[in-house]
Amino acid sequence: MCYLHPVAERPNLTVKTHVHVTKVLFEGTRAVGVEGLRLSDTLEFRAAREVIVCGGAYNSPQLLTLSGIGREEELALLQIPLVAELPGVGLNLSDHPNVGVTFTIKGEDSLKDALNDATLGQWMGGGGPLSTNGVQVGGFFRTEEGMEVPDVQFHLVSALFEQEGLLPPPAHGFSLSACVLRPQARGQVAVVSPDPTTKPFIVHNYFGAEQDLRSAVAGLREVLRIVAQSPLAELVDGPHLAPASSEDADLEAHIRATAQTIYHPVGTCKMGEDPLAVVDAECRVYGVEALRVVDASVFPSVPRGNTNAPTIALAERVADLVRRRVAEVERAGGVVPAPAVA
Ligand SMILES: Cc1cc2nc3c(=O)[nH]c(=O)nc-3n(C[C@H](O)[C@H](O)[C@H](O)COP(=O)(O)OP(=O)(O)OC[C@H]3O[C@@H](n4cnc5c(N)ncnc54)[C@H](O)[C@@H]3O)c2cc1C
């Protein structure tokens, strides 16, 4: 919104809401627009120069596949005509698996009852408990001596955060978690139906690599060590969701039973020059013309930290490239050159 609002009046900007984009339209291998659904209406939008897909790490590979960009044999099974063979579409899915503990506290100093009419009013004025993002303390940690960079990130939430925060906290408390920063395991987003409203099949394969589990176990043990010492120890009333002990077997059982995403999926349309790369260094999709993917799906691997700012940085960078490109294309008489095939 901070990008759109200042330019909302521009005559060359149109925002269409409630449209589910179903495919990129091609003339040969050149992207010329997109098709979308608004309820039962099929809408078509034409692009004079380029189409930029930014559906995120789950949806961008789905949209490319639905548009005929992917693995030939899978497209044939889905009965989607092939536009360009790109074997890496939907592969290389990576994310930060997160495992935490929750503890109830003595007293009422948490965000348990923070959401009500009064606090909403305070928030509209820029203050009150809702003006925090909830994650008030963080940290980075090397789980093994000699590691050059941290492999675990801590998040402390001043409420009992369980079940992805979808249920109201039952008591006053806090949550402390460790996420694995550079997971080795890779998953996949697979399109299972040519119907664009069918969700893709998402397999994360969390802890599929031994090192990922090792980092999680060591990170969780450190979490318990932090909670057991001052100043948290004095605040703690008791465990709400925690492993039975800090023995490896109990930590692993807790991880396998309670680990969840920390919502940082990336990598399914990865940037690079290897055979599984989907976009080049300017986010242009290989094998076709006038099509870019600009979102977290192009990150070759998940950054060692949160993903929102890197995604914004990527988008700003590509916006600059597009602006320069527009000037180049105008000079070339409107012809958009294709990137080299990986
Ligand atoms: C609950 C949650 C909490 C998070 N907290 C943090 C945080 O604290 N810090 C941080 O750095 N990151 C956080 N993230 C991660 C961050 O939001 C993402 O990394 C970032 O938004 C990725 O940007 P993106 O452009 O790749 O995808 P998105 O932001 O997901 O944008 C994709 C957009 O495309 C739209 N879309 C998808 N398919 C279609 C289609 N077919 N037609 C039309 N529209 C479509 C979607 O509706 C969405 O609006 C959080 C994510 C979640 C889900």
Side-chain angles (χ1 to χ4, degrees):
M1 286 305 161
C2 64
Y3 286 93
L4 278 179
H5 282 172
V7 296
E9 304 306 321
R10 281 193 191 165
N12 62 350
L13 173 69
T14 308
V15 177
K16 296 279 186 190
T17 58
H18 301 101
V19 179
H20 183 91
V21 176
T22 52
K23 65 176 168 187
V24 178
L25 300 170
F26 285 95
E27 280 173 8
T29 53
R30 183 188 160 84
V32 293
V34 295
E35 194 176 272
L37 285 174
R38 184 186 264 157
L39 297 176
S40 56
D41 291 338
T42 301
L43 308 175
E44 199 178 293
F45 303 92
R46 304 290 288 187
R49 291 194 175 100
E50 288 191 64
V51 173
I52 299 180
V53 167
C54 45
Y58 298 131
N59 295 98
S60 285
Q62 182 188 25
L63 191 62
L64 292 192
T65 307
L66 292 171
S67 310
I69 301 175
R71 287 168 294 280
E72 189 171 5
E73 69 281 15
E74 283 177 29
L75 290 166
L77 284 173
L78 292 163
Q79 300 189 329
I80 297 171
L82 177 77
V83 174
E85 164 115 50
L86 276 187
V89 171
L91 304 185
N92 190 49
L93 175 63
S94 181
D95 187 13
H96 291 144
N98 190 52
V99 62
V101 294
T102 60
F103 280 79
T104 54
I105 53 167
K106 299 164 190 154
E108 302 190 341
D109 204 3
S110 86
L111 290 174
K112 174 178 177 285
D113 301 316
L115 182 58
N116 55 53
D117 287 349
T119 55
L120 270 175
Q122 287 173 328
W123 175 71
M124 299 292 272
L130 297 182
S131 58
T132 161
N133 71 359
V135 187
Q136 283 155 328
V137 185
F140 291 84
F141 180 63
R142 293 173 178 80
T143 61
E144 286 170 27
E145 270 189 38
M147 280 185 166
E148 276 184 18
V149 287
D151 59 330
V152 155
Q153 182 179 0
F154 299 125
H155 289 90
L156 186 132
V157 179
S158 23
L160 289 182
F161 183 85
E162 292 174 6
Q163 306 288 337
E164 312 230 2
L166 295 174
L167 299 174
H172 286 283
F174 66 87
S175 314
L176 183 56
S177 64
C179 76
V180 179
L181 282 179
R182 259 306 163 97
Q184 305 298 308
R186 290 291 183 270
Q188 182 179 357
V189 173
V191 177
V192 290
S193 162
D195 175 354
T197 62
T198 300
K199 304 281 183 219
F201 188 61
I202 300 168
V203 191
H204 267 282
N205 199 20
Y206 291 126
F207 307 114
E210 215 184 304
Q211 175 59 46
D212 302 354
L213 187 61
R214 247 199 331 267
S215 289
V217 166
L220 185 56
R221 182 173 286 116
E222 189 62 17
V223 159
L224 291 174
R225 212 175 65 81
I226 293 170
V227 175
Q229 60 188 283
S230 186
L232 283 180
E234 289 94 65
L235 189 70
V236 163
D237 180 43
H240 196 257
L241 184 70
S245 78
S246 2
E247 296 298 318
D248 276 7
D250 286 333
L251 296 177
E252 188 177 330
H254 181 78
I255 290 166
R256 296 214 180 271
T258 65
Q260 57 153 88
T261 173
I262 203 158
Y263 321 113
H264 296 161
V266 305
T268 49
C269 299
K270 82 163 175 169
M271 182 187 286
E273 293 181 352
D274 60 285
L276 291 185
V278 174
V279 300
D280 72 1
E282 298 192 11
C283 288
R284 296 172 298 181
V285 177
Y286 287 116
V288 296
E289 299 93 59
L291 180 64
R292 296 189 207 237
V293 176
V294 185
D295 56 32
S297 71
V298 309
F299 296 175
S301 57
V302 68
R304 273 180 218 276
N306 296 27
T307 43
N308 201 42
T311 310
I312 291 171
L314 171 91
E316 293 225 357
R317 165 83 181 135
V318 180
D320 288 344
L321 291 169
V322 168
R323 271 204 293 262
R324 209 163 54 229
R325 192 108 184 125
V326 167
E328 268 173 33
V329 169
E330 273 166 0
R331 276 200 299 278
V335 181
V336 181
V341 176

